[in-house]
Amino acid sequence: MLSLLSKMKVAIDETWDSQSVSPWWQQMRTACIQSENNGAALLSAHVGHSVAAQISNNMTEKKFSQTVLGADSEALTDSWEALSLDTEYWKLLLKQLEDCLILQTLLHSKGNTQTSKVSSLQAEPLPRLSVKSY
């Protein structure tokens, strides 16, 4: 579904410079960063990363075929740099979300016996975690 949405003409701005990070995917990463539901955010980030990579590969193949036909090879290099940066942003986000999910799981576990002896009225509520607050 995300793949189909991202192919819509209004999804990715035609004026977007392919030599920079895509604002479309940056918005999706920002939503995942701000989410306090780490499991859903991690799943969304995996799907977004996969679809973004697929779209980038298609765009790169198209640009490469144009370069072979005589277009500017420097533009292709700049596009690769932006693609590499975008990929690194996705990888960083995935790692941060995995860390938040692990931390949230550990905080919610009842591993500490002293904490379990405290009545529920005295226990502090566990904080909601997000990559932004992490």
Side-chain angles (χ1 to χ4, degrees):
M1 185 165 80
L2 184 59
S3 180
L4 292 174
L5 285 172
S6 62
K7 289 179 184 177
M8 294 173 59
K9 290 191 183 238
V10 295
I12 298 178
D13 189 2
E14 296 294 326
T15 62
W16 166 62
D17 179 14
S18 64
Q19 297 173 2
S20 62
V21 174
S22 167
W24 165 263
W25 297 114
Q26 185 57 45
Q27 286 180 331
M28 183 172 177
R29 284 191 296 269
T30 301
C32 290
I33 286 168
Q34 295 173 346
S35 175
E36 292 180 347
N37 187 340
N38 294 307
L42 181 60
L43 180 61
S44 297
H46 274 292
V47 171
H49 179 227
S50 176
V51 172
Q54 181 183 30
I55 290 170
S56 296
N57 288 340
N58 292 342
M59 288 176 63
T60 303
E61 286 175 10
K62 188 177 176 181
K63 285 191 178 212
F64 182 73
S65 65
Q66 291 173 354
T67 302
V68 171
L69 296 174
D72 186 14
S73 63
E74 187 175 321
L76 184 63
T77 302
D78 292 341
S79 294
W80 273 108
E81 289 172 1
L83 176 61
S84 178
L85 183 61
D86 201 50
T87 301
E88 289 305 312
Y89 283 149
W90 280 114
K91 288 179 183 179
L92 176 63
L93 175 61
L94 289 169
K95 183 64 180 148
Q96 289 173 326
L97 286 168
E98 288 170 0
D99 290 347
C100 272
L101 190 57
I102 291 168
L103 184 57
Q104 186 174 13
T105 303
L106 289 173
L107 288 173
H108 287 276
S109 70
K110 296 182 180 179
N112 188 346
T113 56
Q114 291 178 350
T115 307
S116 62
K117 292 179 183 178
V118 176
S119 73
S120 61
L121 295 175
Q122 295 173 334
E124 290 184 29
L126 293 172
R128 302 282 295 171
L129 293 175
S130 69
V131 171
K132 185 177 180 179
S133 67
Y134 169 63

